[in-house]
Every structure is written in structure tokens, then in C-alpha cells.
Amino acid sequence: MTGNRVLTFQGPMKLEIKTIDYPKLEDPRGRKIEHGVIIKLVSTNICGSDQHIYHGRFEVPQGMVMGHENTGEVVEVGRDVERIEKGDLVSVPFNVSCGRCRNCKERHTDACENSYVNDLVNCGAYGFNLGGWQGGQADYMLVPYADWNLLKFPDRDQAMEKILDLTLLSDILPTGYHGCIEAGVRTGSTVYIAGAGPVGRCAAASARLLGASCIIVADRLRERLDLVKKCGYETVDTTSATPVPDQIEAILGEREVDAGVDCVGLEAHGYGEEDRDEHSEAVINVLFDIVRAGGAMGIPGIYTNLDPGAPKTDMAKKGELPLAFSKAWIKSPKLTGGQAPVMHYNRDLMMAILWDRMPYLREVANTEVISLEDAPAAYKTFSDGSPKKFVIDPHNMLKKAA
């Protein structure tokens, strides 16, 4: 192997395909790691979280390889790897975790104590400037702690038949599911999901799998709302002059829901016709308003401690949000934020897919397969509000499978 095509960040709204060296079994410090593998990317998706990087809202170094939603075929195995073999088809959780520290042993793989290389963060993720791990929007990538991190698909042929569903296991499906779990979604729950992007749509599918009754998805973009409506969910238009609680009441007969999920994060916008400017705190404050007393909120949407591209105020640029917490406190809410611990859920969700318990997942995900060369243009299309979920096919393996 002599080269590796990769999609690199060169600055806000600027991505370039470059060819770099084929990856080595080395960590970001350059230390040899025999517990790792090299995978050939079968699919690697463009995520809404990638958009925060693309917009210059989440700081990353110039030249970083993008991509944290990765599925691949193992092509090289370190000496200490025992359970993963060449040829295995695997899903790669976007969290980099060691399986050895206290947090990993307690299934908090989103906060691994050994996956980062400095004291600025306490977690690792591919293509995210979290631990220095390069992303997988590429031909090949390194995965450390392979026996621990990788989810092996039990049957390769069966997996390739469902690969456009299984490719969602690396992030957005477990993330949407995690948001629902932390919000307490269960049989009969009424649920408000902020954001009809791919994560929000996976959260809606997860709420359906968990047995929720009324599932309401909110967004400001008509194409996305039309898509989720077509898939059988209720919708709220956040640009409408009608306040969100009034729209919920028109659907549900009451102004509150049991559970709320934030699938937007920073770059959220204000509500109604009079305030469509960006207010990153907008979603959380609406959840404080519309989740019932004693209810819960899952906040898997990304918020960063530094937001250099934030508009308006120094407070926003520091990632500090003016939350209406005093308004919410009286309701005794539960709120859980942060990354989803993908390994907590991915095997169960894989089995649900393989046994057709999520038959409409591909419809609501609305995937479109593209080449690696088409990825920069797809980032722009996604940024403009496309309802598509773009899945990159570096080696034409998805096209061959189809």
C-alpha cells in the first residue's frame, strides 16, 4: 500500500481531497500499537456534527482528516489482536475508547480516560480534534483497541444486504437512541424531538422502536419536515408565528410532552417569524418550557466550550449559553448531555436491523451514496439544508452490493 485518499479540513467551508501515507499501527503520539487494526472503508458518512467543523464552529487543525461515522473491512491486524481477523466487516463506534479505564469498565465509553493525548479533553473521537485520532472519510484508517472497539457483523453477506442501515450504527442511530433513553422514552411516551436532520430522524425511529405514542419532530426547513411527515411522524415548524407549545397542543391536546430530545446543538435558531437569528441556547430553553414536570431531556446535540465562529457576543464565542434554568428548576427536570456511548447500544441496534425490527429506517434516514470525490460538494448541499444523509463509498463496494 503506498497511498491513502482522504478528505481534509482546510478552513471553514473549505475541504480538499488529498493523498497521504497509508496508515500505520501508531497512536497520535507516534507510538507503536499492536492492539490496533487498519480497515478499508466500506462506508463513511457525513454527519451533522461534521457540519459544525465545516462551518468553523468546532476548532480543528488544518489538514485534519474528516469523518467519524465509519464502517469497514479489516485488512491489517496488530500482533495483540485476538478476536478480530482480516476480512471481518465491522462497525467503528465514533468514540475512541480503551476498555481498560474506570469509565470504560462502567460503560461510559464516551469519556474514556486513555483515548486522548493531552489534558484539554477527556474523550477521544475520530476526525474531531479529540485525542488526535484521524477520521475515516478516506480509503483506509487506523482503529486502536480493536478487540474492544469494533462491532463485527456476524454474517458478511447479510450485512452487505443491509449496509445502508448498518452504516448508521457508528454514530447517528445510537446517538438518537441514546437521546431517547436519557429522555425516558418508553411505551406510550409522548416525545418532542428538536431537529429533523439525520440524528433527529434516527431519534424518531428510535422512539418508535421504544414504543412511544405521539412522536413530534421539529425543524425550520420545509423539506426535512415533509420527509418526517411522510414517514408517519408529527411535525412542528419552528419558523411559524404560532408558538411551539401551541403547535404541540394542536397535535396532542396538551401543551407538554413526557420527553424531549435535542438533536440540534449549537447553531440552533430562534423561534417564530420575529426571531430567526441564531441562538444556540434556543432548543434547550424550549425543552425547559415544553417537557412536563418530572420529565426528562436527552441532549446529545453538540455544544463546545469554544465556538470561535459564533455570532454576536463574546459569551457565545466562549460556548457559554444564557439558559433559562430558573424557569425549569421548579419542574424538577432530568437533563443528560454529552456524547452517546455508542458501544452501550450498537449491538442491540444491529440485531434490531438484522431481524427487521426497524423496517422503515432507511426511508427516514433518506440515504444517498456518493463517491469520495463528491464529498466536498455534498458537505455544501448538506449545509444548505438538504434532507439527505450522504454516505461515502470510497471503494465502490456499496455500488457493487446494490
Side-chain angles (χ1 to χ4, degrees):
M1 303 292 180
T2 57
N4 183 23
R5 293 178 306 152
V6 297
L7 182 68
T8 62
F9 177 82
Q10 298 297 327
M13 312 290 282
K14 186 177 181 183
L15 304 174
E16 291 183 9
I17 303 288
K18 292 187 175 293
T19 299
I20 63 174
D21 291 340
Y22 180 81
K24 300 177 181 179
L25 292 175
E26 294 180 352
D27 72 11
R29 293 188 180 98
R31 299 183 304 185
K32 186 76 171 176
I33 51 171
E34 293 291 354
H35 52 66
V37 301
I38 307 299
I39 66 168
K40 175 182 178 180
L41 275 301
V42 173
S43 63
T44 174
N45 316 328
I46 300 176
C47 180
S49 301
D50 292 326
Q51 289 291 308
H52 298 316
I53 298 172
Y54 180 63
H55 295 154
R57 303 296 295 276
F58 192 104
E59 284 194 316
V60 303
Q62 183 178 4
M64 186 194 75
V65 181
M66 299 287 288
H68 59 274
E69 295 190 1
N70 306 306
T71 304
E73 176 187 357
V74 176
V75 294
E76 183 178 340
V77 178
R79 180 193 61 216
D80 297 336
V81 177
E82 298 180 351
R83 302 179 65 85
I84 297 294
E85 301 176 348
K86 287 184 181 179
D88 285 347
L89 195 62
V90 293
S91 178
V92 186
F94 80 89
N95 322 109
V96 182
S97 59
C98 70
R100 305 169 182 178
C101 70
R102 174 182 175 179
N103 283 344
C104 284
K105 288 179 178 180
E106 294 178 355
R107 300 187 75 183
H108 293 300
T109 55
D110 51 311
C112 175
E113 298 172 348
N114 293 324
S115 62
Y116 56 95
V117 296
N118 57 48
D119 294 329
L120 299 179
V121 295
N122 61 350
C123 59
Y126 304 99
F128 237 116
N129 197 26
L130 295 174
W133 304 96
Q134 295 296 311
Q137 289 174 4
D139 285 326
Y140 302 93
M141 70 176 290
L142 163 72
V143 178
Y145 307 106
D147 281 330
W148 167 256
N149 276 309
L150 292 176
L151 175 68
K152 177 182 173 180
F153 298 136
D155 182 275
R156 183 187 180 94
D157 292 338
Q158 182 190 28
M160 288 305 294
E161 288 178 5
K162 297 179 180 292
I163 194 66
L164 290 182
D165 291 338
L166 295 170
T167 191
L168 307 177
L169 289 172
S170 54
D171 178 5
I172 64 168
L173 182 54
T175 292
Y177 190 85
H178 174 66
C180 290
I181 291 292
E182 294 302 327
V185 177
R186 57 186 183 274
T187 303
S189 294
T190 58
V191 187
Y192 177 91
I193 296 169
V199 174
R201 301 198 298 269
C202 282
S206 297
R208 179 178 280 172
L209 180 67
L210 290 165
S213 54
C214 180
I215 303 168
I216 304 168
V217 184
D219 206 279
R220 58 197 300 269
L221 298 174
R222 176 47 52 190
E223 275 191 288
R224 291 181 175 182
L225 291 174
D226 288 345
L227 173 61
V228 296
K229 188 73 172 178
K230 180 181 177 182
C231 292
Y233 303 100
E234 304 296 332
T235 60
V236 159
D237 181 353
T238 60
T239 67
S240 170
T242 304
V244 170
D246 291 352
Q247 294 188 62
I248 291 173
E249 185 175 23
I251 296 167
L252 191 57
E254 53 190 20
R255 300 170 66 80
E256 293 183 322
V257 293
D258 298 322
V261 186
D262 174 6
C263 296
V264 179
L266 60 94
E267 296 189 82
H269 286 70
Y271 289 79
E273 293 181 335
E274 296 181 358
D275 188 4
R276 298 189 184 184
D277 293 337
E278 182 181 313
H279 297 280
S280 285
E281 74 284 357
V283 167
I284 296 177
N285 284 339
V286 166
L287 293 184
F288 286 164
D289 194 29
I290 58 108
V291 174
R292 69 174 180 85
M297 290 157 267
I299 315 289
I302 286 180
Y303 294 90
T304 178
N305 64 334
L306 291 175
D307 188 359
K312 296 185 178 181
T313 67
D314 289 338
M315 183 179 182
K317 293 180 187 299
K318 294 177 184 178
E320 297 173 353
L321 306 177
L323 298 179
F325 193 72
S326 57
K327 181 179 180 180
W329 182 87
I330 196 68
K331 299 172 79 172
S332 299
K334 175 185 173 184
L335 183 155
T336 303
Q339 296 179 23
V342 170
M343 292 176 65
H344 199 80
Y345 310 110
N346 62 351
R347 185 189 179 278
D348 290 345
L349 291 169
M350 173 188 74
M351 295 302 290
I353 290 169
L354 293 177
W355 288 93
D356 296 321
R357 294 301 180 259
M358 303 188 78
Y360 305 111
L361 181 60
R362 190 175 308 178
E363 179 184 9
V364 72
N366 199 27
T367 52
E368 180 174 318
V369 177
I370 61 171
S371 69
L372 186 61
E373 287 74 19
D374 289 336
Y379 266 83
K380 175 64 167 59
T381 302
F382 192 4
S383 177
D384 291 340
S386 170
K388 297 286 188 179
K389 173 64 175 177
F390 291 105
V391 177
I392 301 170
D393 183 9
H395 297 278
N396 292 321
M397 295 177 74
L398 303 183
K399 185 180 293 185
K400 292 176 182 176

